[in-house]
């Protein structure tokens, strides 16, 4: 799953990095490399910039401008009533704007969002997961990436301009606004839907044509048009994430966090990223599809904490859990009032502006200005970056840095790793049962659609102990559909699984104790020599990364070449990163680590982190190949320790056979054959006790040693 990255401010990172690492060491594994960082890491966040497109897979790909803009009729030519009603709001008192931007995100910059927050989908009719809509008084444009060009052409009506991001010459949203608006225009946004950094970037970009960015705090214009038909916010109860899976209690996590606040010269922190709130409080929810999180903000102070969420979701058991941890419950919509109160109290508030929304950051800044004004002090109107020489005098101050929770969450403790191991074995058993079924059906010439196959896999997984949900929409892709990296089959348009074509299945599950993500590519008939060569070279890259040994402090991008080199030898490659972080019974994509050809992310791979290993190859209009396992970072005992540095490697979490008929053995070295045989031996040893009958036999047949 490719995700965009955002880079922290260089002004504050050197301090926040050290604080993150100290917090990490206090709540998780003992890591000897904290003092060995030679570079300034640039950490990933969860798609904090609503103007940058996000696509599912590991690593990051930036959409480049292109000139291929479609204005032809799509889905009819009748006027768009939603756009008409939206534009009527532009001239209302207190609004007075010339353009309005509708991103894909919610107020927490989430990858997956609840239906009630799918505003871009509602206003445009485009249902793809990535895109940004911009509406002016006489134009409407939607930016999306290459996964969705055909879908957008079908779903957008003739009132919309399709901006094919990734094609040469298509402008960015800000470039387009600067071109189509007369100088001095007013561009409206809902500041809850933009990270503070993204809003500031947009503000500066449109200022080149003297445009003003207008924060519409009090209403979302799409919601006004949506009206009573808008789905209600989710209200399902939240649950406690058992300590046997979490590994650390809430009190210990909060204590460590508060120590970091003191060290940073901060007296409070606002946490808005949903999986950070869930991890810190050992809570899980079901507000968002595929992600076991709940909509909430959390403010942690030195002597208490406040959780802002809908109290109808809080069971008596959860309320008791919160009280024991010293956490007060507040209404979700009261977050800005509390931010103002903190400033009025002179609080030094830690803000991660790459993830905290612009509404919160702007409210705090305004309240700080008001505080200083009430003292009669002359200020520049800017919140100061904390300087330790100032202590905590002089009123409220913003302490700007990356959230220390992101890195702490990424390094799994013993209990989290154990839960991931166990859930992956149950998941492997479900997949074995599934592959038996699908192969039998195909060989009986039963016509199965891609959706039917995905539904059947869900059925097998749902019978496993602790199953909760899928971890993302299953990519069930036959033939040419496999070349669409983030393909999602739809009932009305999906293909029938063809026994004569490659079939790519990328899927995952949420269990009470872990999160899975696995891709296998198979052929139900006889693959061509071309397909076998491509598959084998992808496999060689997969093996090379799996076997990599590297010094402590190595960032993930350094390892990306291991996965690509065998494809490069024959002039092939793939357009996505090789590995993304994975949460423990949390989001299937988490930062800050990644393995990608994009070298901006300097986050080192640390012992206990989990990453995917998923090289691939995609031949347009023909087939797609991807092989994905999840790995965790472990210490490696090397005979030497050059410079006194320790070395790290990987341990596998995923244990599902890799189809041998797709392998060209002549390309594999003896070492690579040994790796595959050893892997299949482990698959048999670990998974066979969980199976019986035909699934047990299938596993035996598919884990036999290969002889070169």
């Amino acid at each position: 799953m490719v995700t965009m990255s955002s880079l922290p401010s260089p002004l504050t990172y050197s301090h926040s990095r050290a604080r993150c690492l100290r917090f990490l060491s206090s709540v998780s594994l003992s890591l000897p490399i904290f003092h060995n960082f030679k570079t300034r890491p640039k950490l990933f966040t969860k798609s904090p910039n609503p103007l940058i497109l996000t696509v599912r897979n590991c690593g990051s790909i930036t959409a480049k401008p292109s000139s291929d803009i479609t204005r032809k009729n799509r889905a009819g030519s009748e006027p768009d009533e939603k756009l008409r009603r939206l534009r009527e709001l532009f001239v209302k008192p207190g609004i007075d704007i010339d353009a309005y931007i509708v991103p894909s995100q919610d107020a927490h910059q989430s990858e997956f969002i609840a239906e009630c927050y799918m505003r871009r989908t509602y206003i445009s009719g485009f249902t793809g997961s990535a895109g940004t809509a911009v509406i002016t008084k006489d134009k409407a444009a939607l930016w999306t990436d290459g996964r969705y060009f055909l879908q957008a052409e079908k779903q957008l009506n003739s009132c919309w301009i399709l901006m094919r991001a990734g094609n040469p010459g298509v402008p960015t949203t800000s470039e387009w606004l600067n071109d189509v608006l007369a100088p001095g225009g007013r561009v409206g946004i809902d500041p809850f839907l933009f990270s503070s950094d993204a809003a500031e970037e947009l503000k500066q970009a449109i200022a080149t044509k003297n445009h003003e960015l207008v924060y519409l705090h009090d209403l979302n214009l799409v919601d006004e048009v949506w009206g009573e038909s808008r789905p209600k916010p989710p209200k399902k109860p939240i649950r406690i994430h058992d300590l046997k899976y979490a590994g650390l209690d809430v009190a210990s996590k909060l204590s460590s966090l508060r120590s970091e606040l003191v060290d940073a010269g901060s007296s409070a922190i606002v946490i808005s990223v949903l999986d950070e709130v869930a991890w810190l409080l050992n809570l899980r929810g079901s507000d968002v599809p595929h992600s076991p999180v709940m909509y909430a903000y959390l403010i942690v102070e030195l002597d208490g904490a406040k959780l802002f969420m809908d109290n109808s979701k809080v069971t008596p058991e959860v309320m008791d859990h919160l009280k024991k941890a010293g956490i007060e419950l507040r209404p979700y919509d009261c977050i800005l009032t509390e931010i103002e109160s903190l400033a009025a109290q002179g609080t030094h508030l830690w803000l991660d502006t790459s993830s905290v929304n612009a509404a919160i950051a702007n409210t705090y800044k305004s309240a700080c200005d008001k505080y200083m004004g009430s003292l009669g002090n002359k200020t520049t109107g800017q919140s100061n970056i904390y300087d330790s020489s100032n202590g905590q005098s002089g009123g409220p101050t913003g302490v700007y840095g990356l959230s220390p929770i992101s890195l702490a969450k990424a390094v799994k403790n013993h209990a989290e790793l154990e839960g991931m191991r166990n859930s992956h074995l149950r998941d492997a058993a479900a997949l074995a049962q599934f592959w038996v079924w699908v192969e039998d059906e195909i060989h009986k010439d039963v016509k199965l659609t891609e959706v039917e196959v995905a539904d059947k896999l869900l059925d097998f997984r749902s019978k496993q102990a602790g199953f909760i949900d899928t971890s993302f929409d299953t990519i069930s892709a036959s033939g040419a559909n496999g070349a669409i990296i983030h393909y999602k089959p739809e009932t009305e348009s999906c293909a029938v699984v063809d026994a004569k074509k490659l079939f790519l299945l990328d899927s995952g599950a949420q269990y009470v104790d872990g999160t899975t993500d696995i891709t296998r590519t198979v052929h139900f008939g006889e693959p061509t020599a071309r397909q076998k060569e491509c598959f084998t070279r992808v496999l060689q890259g997969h093996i090379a990364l799996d076997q990599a040994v590297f010094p402590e402090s190595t960032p993930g991008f350094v390892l990306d070449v291991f996965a690509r080199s065998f494809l490069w030898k024959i002039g092939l490659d793939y357009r996505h990163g090789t590995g993304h972080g994975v949460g423990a019974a949390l989001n299937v994509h988490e930062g800050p680590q990644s393995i990608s050809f994009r070298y901006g992310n300097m986050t080192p791979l640390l012992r206990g982190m989990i990453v995917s290993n998923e090289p691939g190859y995609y031949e347009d209009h023909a087939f797609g190949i991807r092989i994905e396992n999840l790995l965790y970072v472990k210490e490696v005992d090397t005979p030497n320790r050059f410079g006194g540095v320790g070395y790290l490697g990987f341990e596998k979490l995923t244990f599902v056979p890799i189809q041998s008929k797709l392998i060209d053995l002549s390309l594999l070295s003896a070492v690579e054959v040994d790796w595959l045989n050893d892997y299949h031996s482990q698959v048999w040893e670990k998974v066979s006790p969980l199976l019986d009958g035909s699934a047990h036999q299938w596993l035996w047949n598919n884990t036999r040693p290969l002889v070169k």
Side-chain angles (χ1 to χ4, degrees):
M1 200 174 298
V2 181
T3 57
M4 293 301 303
S5 64
S6 177
L7 305 182
S9 167
L11 297 176
T12 58
Y13 186 74
S14 60
H15 297 295
S16 64
R17 177 195 65 195
R19 290 193 293 269
C20 288
L21 293 172
R22 286 198 299 274
F23 177 53
L24 178 61
S25 65
S26 66
V27 301
S28 187
L29 302 169
S30 175
L31 298 173
I33 63 171
F34 288 165
H35 60 285
N36 288 333
F37 281 96
K38 305 296 184 185
T39 57
R40 184 179 69 200
K42 298 179 179 180
L43 305 187
F44 274 1
T45 58
K46 289 290 186 260
S47 305
N49 190 341
L51 300 181
I52 296 179
L53 305 173
T54 61
V55 288
R56 186 194 183 282
N57 214 308
C58 44
S60 64
I61 290 179
T62 303
K64 306 223 185 233
S66 88
S67 61
D68 192 1
I69 302 173
T70 296
R71 298 174 182 264
K72 67 181 181 179
N73 286 355
R74 293 178 296 270
S77 58
E78 66 279 358
D80 191 311
E81 178 66 14
K82 294 175 185 176
L83 289 178
R84 184 191 65 78
R85 292 168 58 197
L86 185 76
R87 287 170 174 141
E88 286 179 350
L89 298 174
F90 284 14
V91 298
K92 295 289 185 181
I95 299 177
D96 187 25
I97 58 174
D98 301 292
Y100 191 63
I101 302 177
V102 186
S104 298
Q105 284 78 6
D106 59 21
H108 305 267
Q109 310 306 303
S110 306
E111 177 183 12
F112 300 121
I113 63 176
E115 186 180 3
C116 61
Y117 300 127
M118 295 180 180
R119 297 177 172 104
R120 189 226 64 224
T121 295
Y122 172 78
I123 199 65
S124 69
F126 169 62
T127 61
S129 65
T132 300
V134 182
I135 301 98
T136 69
K137 291 179 178 179
D138 60 355
K139 295 180 177 65
L142 181 128
W143 280 254
T144 192
D145 60 79
R147 298 172 299 154
Y148 297 117
F149 291 165
L150 293 177
Q151 179 179 337
E153 285 180 3
K154 294 178 181 178
Q155 293 180 331
L156 295 177
N157 66 35
S158 60
C159 297
W160 287 87
I161 304 168
L162 172 59
M163 297 290 192
R164 291 182 171 85
N167 289 351
V170 166
T172 64
T173 52
S174 56
E175 289 170 343
W176 186 74
L177 284 168
N178 284 340
D179 182 55
V180 302
L181 295 182
R186 287 166 53 87
V187 178
I189 65 168
D190 181 340
F192 284 97
L193 306 184
F194 289 72
S195 74
S196 177
D197 286 350
E200 184 61 29
E201 181 182 342
L202 174 61
K203 178 181 178 180
Q204 293 178 9
I206 64 174
T208 60
K209 288 296 184 72
N210 200 32
H211 300 314
E212 177 186 358
L213 187 63
V214 180
Y215 286 4
L216 300 175
H217 282 91
D218 298 329
L219 80 167
N220 182 286
L221 301 192
V222 176
D223 291 352
E224 292 295 300
V225 175
W226 211 338
E228 292 298 318
S229 63
R230 181 187 173 208
K232 301 300 181 184
K235 291 183 178 292
K236 293 182 180 179
I238 59 177
R239 57 185 169 86
I240 298 171
H241 187 53
D242 199 295
L243 184 59
K244 66 183 178 181
Y245 305 132
L248 287 167
D249 60 29
V250 179
S252 298
K253 292 179 180 180
L254 289 175
S255 176
S256 297
L257 177 58
R258 287 175 175 132
S259 294
E260 292 307 307
L261 297 183
V262 171
D263 290 346
S266 173
S267 49
I269 183 172
V270 57
I271 304 162
S272 64
V273 178
L274 301 185
D275 65 335
E276 292 187 10
V277 175
W279 179 84
L280 189 62
L281 300 185
N282 289 346
L283 293 175
R284 297 295 187 267
S286 55
D287 285 354
V288 177
H290 313 300
S291 301
V293 296
M294 61 282 178
Y295 278 106
Y297 298 99
L298 179 65
I299 292 176
V300 177
E301 300 175 78
L302 298 181
D303 58 355
K306 298 181 179 71
L307 178 65
F308 297 80
M309 67 176 298
D310 184 344
N311 62 10
S312 68
K313 304 174 187 177
V314 181
T315 65
E317 181 185 19
V318 170
M319 182 62 77
D320 185 58
H321 173 80
L322 294 173
K323 287 181 177 178
K324 287 179 179 178
I327 299 165
E328 301 176 42
L329 196 61
R330 294 285 188 273
Y332 179 80
D333 293 334
C334 289
I335 183 63
L336 296 187
T337 301
E338 184 64 24
I339 295 295
E340 292 174 335
S341 176
L342 289 172
Q345 297 166 32
T347 301
H348 288 201
L349 184 63
W350 187 328
L351 291 166
D352 181 349
T353 53
S354 67
S355 59
V356 167
N357 64 54
I360 289 176
N362 190 60
T363 296
Y364 182 71
K365 175 185 175 299
S366 298
C368 287
D369 292 345
K370 181 178 179 181
Y371 178 100
M372 300 306 291
S374 69
L375 297 179
N377 296 332
K378 293 183 179 180
T379 68
T380 63
Q382 298 291 327
S383 297
N384 297 321
I385 295 173
Y386 176 75
D387 186 329
S388 59
S389 65
N390 294 331
Q392 289 204 10
S393 61
T397 302
V399 181
Y400 297 102
L402 295 168
S403 168
I405 301 167
S406 176
L407 197 58
K409 174 171 57 65
V411 176
K412 310 303 186 275
N413 59 48
H414 175 77
E416 290 173 322
L417 285 175
E418 187 65 18
M420 290 292 279
R421 292 188 194 97
N422 292 335
S423 59
H424 274 78
L425 294 183
R426 299 197 305 277
D427 201 58
L431 281 159
Q433 294 164 348
F434 161 79
W435 285 118
V436 170
W437 172 82
V438 73
E439 287 181 5
D440 285 348
E441 295 296 288
I442 293 293
H443 293 151
K444 289 187 292 188
D445 292 327
V446 175
K447 300 298 182 184
L448 296 173
T449 68
E450 295 163 328
V451 168
E452 289 170 337
V453 168
D455 288 345
K456 191 64 176 181
L457 175 56
L458 173 60
D459 182 53
F460 281 114
R461 277 194 166 118
S462 65
K463 295 174 183 176
Q464 291 296 321
F467 175 84
I468 295 173
D469 192 6
T470 54
S471 56
F472 55 92
D473 287 323
T474 298
I475 300 172
S476 171
S478 179
N481 290 337
I484 304 170
I485 297 171
H486 311 294
Y487 175 74
K488 179 186 175 183
E490 302 289 352
T491 301
E492 63 276 6
S493 59
C494 69
V496 171
V497 177
D498 191 332
K500 298 179 181 179
K501 297 178 180 179
L502 285 174
F503 177 68
L504 185 152
L505 185 73
D506 187 349
S507 66
Q510 295 286 0
Y511 295 93
V512 69
D513 52 346
T515 303
T516 70
D517 183 2
I518 173 176
T519 308
R520 290 293 182 266
T521 306
V522 301
H523 201 296
F524 299 110
E526 290 300 322
T528 66
R530 170 71 171 178
Q531 291 169 341
K532 291 177 69 172
E533 179 181 13
C534 293
F535 182 91
T536 305
R537 290 186 178 276
V538 170
L539 174 60
Q540 288 176 297
H542 180 95
I543 293 171
L545 180 58
D546 180 273
Q547 292 185 312
V549 176
F550 48 94
E552 292 174 336
S553 301
T554 299
F557 78 84
V558 173
L559 305 182
D560 187 74
V561 66
F562 283 90
R564 297 180 192 272
S565 61
F566 295 92
L567 288 167
W568 285 355
K569 289 177 180 178
I570 59 169
L572 300 180
D573 203 348
Y574 51 96
R575 296 187 182 95
H576 60 73
T578 301
H580 58 82
V582 179
L586 262 178
N587 290 352
V588 73
H589 303 135
E590 72 169 18
Q593 76 276 17
S594 71
I595 300 174
S596 172
F597 61 94
R598 300 286 174 179
Y599 49 82
N601 184 0
M602 297 298 294
T603 307
L605 297 178
L606 303 177
R607 181 164 62 94
M609 281 182 170
I610 294 174
V611 293
S612 64
N613 174 6
E614 50 181 313
Y617 173 68
Y618 311 91
E619 200 143 288
D620 291 348
H621 311 296
F623 60 82
I625 294 166
R626 189 160 62 250
I627 304 171
E628 178 186 17
N629 283 352
L630 297 191
L631 313 171
Y632 68 88
V633 182
K634 66 174 184 178
E635 290 182 351
V636 174
D637 185 16
T638 55
N640 303 290
R641 294 171 65 92
F642 182 79
V645 174
Y647 282 75
L648 302 173
F650 296 115
E651 189 71 35
K652 287 175 279 292
L653 288 169
T654 307
F655 293 97
V656 174
I658 295 168
Q659 192 179 58
S660 60
K661 76 157 70 171
L662 276 167
I663 299 172
D664 182 347
L665 274 177
S666 69
L667 295 176
L668 293 186
S669 68
V671 171
E672 290 165 336
V673 172
D674 287 344
W675 180 94
L676 188 63
N677 287 338
D678 179 68
Y679 176 62
H680 281 160
S681 176
Q682 292 183 62
V683 171
W684 173 254
E685 177 185 346
K686 294 175 182 293
V687 182
S688 63
L690 305 178
L691 299 171
D692 56 21
S694 58
H696 190 271
Q697 184 62 48
W698 178 89
L699 193 70
W700 170 262
N701 294 340
N702 284 274
T703 55
R704 295 305 84 216
L706 294 179
V707 179
K708 184 172 180 179

